């Protein structure tokens, strides 16, 4: 097997708050195989998707109760790097982030171009002239006029700001960009334009993408593989075509059934109940309180990973061939 581009093993990020520890990322493991691959991370609001992005990028708030796990970039353990090394060698270089709510991410009093080149000039990686030329190329690549460089953020529409944010993420030519809900604040036609831009970047630059969204239909538009997260855990991952036609986890099935379909008489389903409090995650399978197929074992023991198909991993006791040890 070839070495994956990104390999995340047992990643934890818990926040401390007045009432305890919020288990936002709770032992997540997954791999992103290689160049030009888009992995979708799908799950309900509050399931820990943005926290996962921040944990990978080491962009952490101060109230951390637990942060650990191994992260490998092409086989080398970037989780072992010091913060200074990580900043110099990984963040924006190898992995960039377009954060959630990025439309409000620009500083209103600085010109857009100066903000795009900031990571490149901040540590003297590129002289300002070269950075400016690169930023202008990137603005064209993302479909913006080069004059956007000298504009202030308030002069740009939402779609233009999102394009400029994507250009900013690409300034140091990272092979992987994490996009956290890149289109949720945009109307549907601008959303479609941004999706087309992402497909273009994936194809033309061989850019790999971690595409975070609560919208599985949107993820299916660009993703080669899909991971479903629930209450801080990854419950299922697999090739997008399998996940969209034959997901095995009841939660993935519910997510899929909640998509409205144009030519289907069946009404979209909704998922009953509410996501659990991540300060006190349920025992056993975290989905058991809402699962239509729950049985005794689900309430007490956390399911291990089963592999119903090659390349598909599902944490659900229904797939137990009968000889697994409860964990
Ligand atoms: P959404 O789809 O709404 O963006 P999400 O899946 O990205 O949600 P996160 O933002 O990662 O979810 O939040 C996961 C959990 O962690 C939530 O319960 C949230 O309230 C909590 N949380 C996030 N940031 C902090 C923080 N700094 N301190 C304490 N709790 C936090
Ligand atoms: Mg989020």
């Amino acid at each position: 097997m070839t070495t994956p581009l990104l390999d995340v093993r047992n990643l934890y990020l818990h926040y401390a708050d007045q009432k305890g520890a919020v288990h936002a990322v709770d032992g997540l493991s997954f791999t992103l195989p290689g160049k030009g691959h888009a992995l979708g991370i799908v799950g309900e609001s509050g399931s820990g998707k943005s926290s996962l992005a921040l944990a990978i990028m080491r962009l952490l708030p101060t109230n951390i109760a637990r942060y650990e796990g191994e992260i490998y970039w092409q086989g080398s353990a970037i989780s072992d790097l010091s913060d200074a090394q990580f900043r110099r060698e990984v963040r924006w270089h190898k992995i960039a982030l377009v954060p959630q709510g990025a439309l409000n991410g620009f500083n209103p009093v600085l010109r857009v171009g100066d903000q795009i080149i900031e990571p490149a000039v901040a540590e003297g990686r590129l002289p300002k002239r070269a950075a400016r030329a690169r930023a202008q190329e990137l603005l064209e690549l993302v479909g913006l006029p080069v004059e956007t460089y000298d504009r202030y953020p308030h002069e740009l529409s939402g779609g233009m700001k999102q394009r400029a944010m994507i250009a900013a993420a690409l300034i140091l030519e990272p092979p992987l960009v994490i996009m956290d809900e890149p289109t949720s604040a945009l109307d549907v036609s601008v959303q479609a334009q941004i999706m087309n831009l992402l497909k273009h970047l994936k194809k033309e630059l061989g850019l790999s993408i971690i595409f975070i969204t609560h919208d599985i239909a949107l993820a299916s538009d660009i993703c080669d593989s899909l991971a479903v997260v629930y209450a801080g855990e990854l419950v299922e991952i697999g090739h997008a075509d399998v996940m969209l036609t034959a997901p095995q986890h009841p939660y993935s099935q519910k997510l899929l059934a909640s998509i409205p379909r144009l030519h289907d008489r069946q009404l979209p389903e909704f998922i009953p109940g509410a996501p659990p409090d991540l300060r006190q995650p349920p025992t056993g399978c975290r989905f058991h309180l809402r699962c239509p197929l729950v049985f005794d074992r689900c309430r007490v023991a956390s399911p291990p990973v089963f592999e119903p198909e090659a390349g598909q991993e599902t944490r659900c006791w229904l797939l137990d061939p009968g000889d697994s040890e409860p964990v």
Side-chain angles (χ1 to χ4, degrees):
M1 217 178 102
T2 49
T3 312
L5 188 66
L6 185 76
D7 188 357
V8 174
R9 297 280 117 208
N10 299 315
L11 187 61
Y12 290 84
L13 175 59
H14 295 179
Y15 303 109
D17 79 1
Q18 297 93 329
K19 293 192 199 142
V22 182
H23 296 223
V25 179
D26 220 11
L28 252 72
S29 300
F30 64 88
T31 57
L32 187 144
K35 204 169 147 79
H37 186 99
L39 163 69
I41 307 273
V42 187
E44 284 167 297
S45 184
S47 54
K49 305 180 298 297
S50 297
S51 302
L52 171 63
L54 298 177
I56 294 173
M57 294 294 288
R58 273 201 217 182
L59 291 169
L60 306 172
T62 48
N63 60 325
I64 297 299
R66 180 178 185 189
Y67 175 53
E68 64 185 59
E70 296 122 61
I71 305 180
Y72 299 89
W73 177 264
Q74 292 180 322
S76 98
I78 54 175
S79 43
D80 288 347
L81 298 177
S82 69
D83 286 346
Q85 282 173 318
F86 190 86
R87 200 174 56 240
R88 241 185 352 258
E89 296 166 25
V90 180
R91 196 185 302 139
W92 311 124
H93 266 288
K94 292 185 169 65
I95 313 173
L97 171 68
V98 177
Q100 186 166 12
L103 294 188
N104 308 317
F106 281 117
N107 182 333
V109 299
L110 295 176
R111 290 179 201 276
V112 168
D114 289 333
Q115 299 188 58
I116 293 178
I117 64 172
E118 217 262 338
V121 291
E123 297 196 17
R125 289 181 180 119
L126 280 180
K128 192 160 180 193
R129 267 173 79 111
R132 183 183 174 101
R134 164 110 187 104
Q136 287 175 333
E137 276 169 33
L138 284 171
L139 287 170
E140 286 198 306
L141 178 72
V142 300
L144 290 173
V146 285
E147 303 80 65
T148 312
Y149 190 97
D150 292 311
R151 299 252 184 277
Y152 286 95
H154 74 268
E155 297 177 89
L156 271 51
S157 68
M160 291 172 83
K161 273 191 222 165
Q162 191 58 282
R163 285 173 193 267
M165 271 292 172
I166 294 169
L170 297 174
I171 190 75
L172 292 174
E173 303 180 51
L176 170 63
V177 178
I178 304 175
M179 311 257 177
D180 191 355
E181 303 274 7
T183 66
S184 10
L186 304 171
D187 69 55
V188 280
S189 63
V190 181
Q191 176 171 317
Q193 290 168 15
I194 297 290
M195 292 308 288
N196 285 339
L197 166 63
L198 298 184
K199 284 183 216 166
H200 176 76
L201 297 175
K202 181 173 177 256
K203 190 154 171 242
E204 297 306 316
L205 306 181
L207 186 70
S208 296
I209 298 174
I210 294 182
F211 186 85
I212 294 178
T213 178
H214 58 274
D215 183 344
I216 195 167
L218 190 67
S220 69
D221 190 35
I222 187 168
C223 293
D224 304 288
S225 55
L226 286 175
V228 175
V229 291
Y230 184 79
E233 292 185 338
L234 198 153
V235 296
E236 189 162 29
I237 184 167
H239 298 297
D241 47 359
V242 178
M243 292 292 288
L244 292 165
T245 50
Q248 298 293 315
H249 197 287
Y251 179 61
S252 317
Q253 291 168 354
K254 286 278 178 203
L255 272 186
L256 202 61
S258 68
I259 305 174
R261 283 160 219 266
L262 211 51
H263 302 290
D264 205 334
R265 281 166 174 271
Q266 217 173 333
L267 286 172
E269 287 181 33
F270 67 98
I271 307 176
D277 180 355
L278 293 184
R279 282 181 211 94
Q280 281 159 333
T283 53
C285 169
R286 292 195 179 169
F287 188 55
H288 83 256
L289 295 167
R290 302 168 77 189
C291 183
L293 304 172
V294 61
F295 58 103
D296 285 349
R297 196 176 204 182
C298 315
R299 298 189 178 94
V300 290
S302 174
V305 169
F306 297 103
E307 207 176 331
E309 287 228 18
Q312 190 175 13
E313 294 181 359
T314 309
R315 292 184 67 179
C316 175
W317 283 121
L318 290 168
L319 298 167
D320 183 15
D323 50 5
S324 308
E325 286 294 315
V327 289

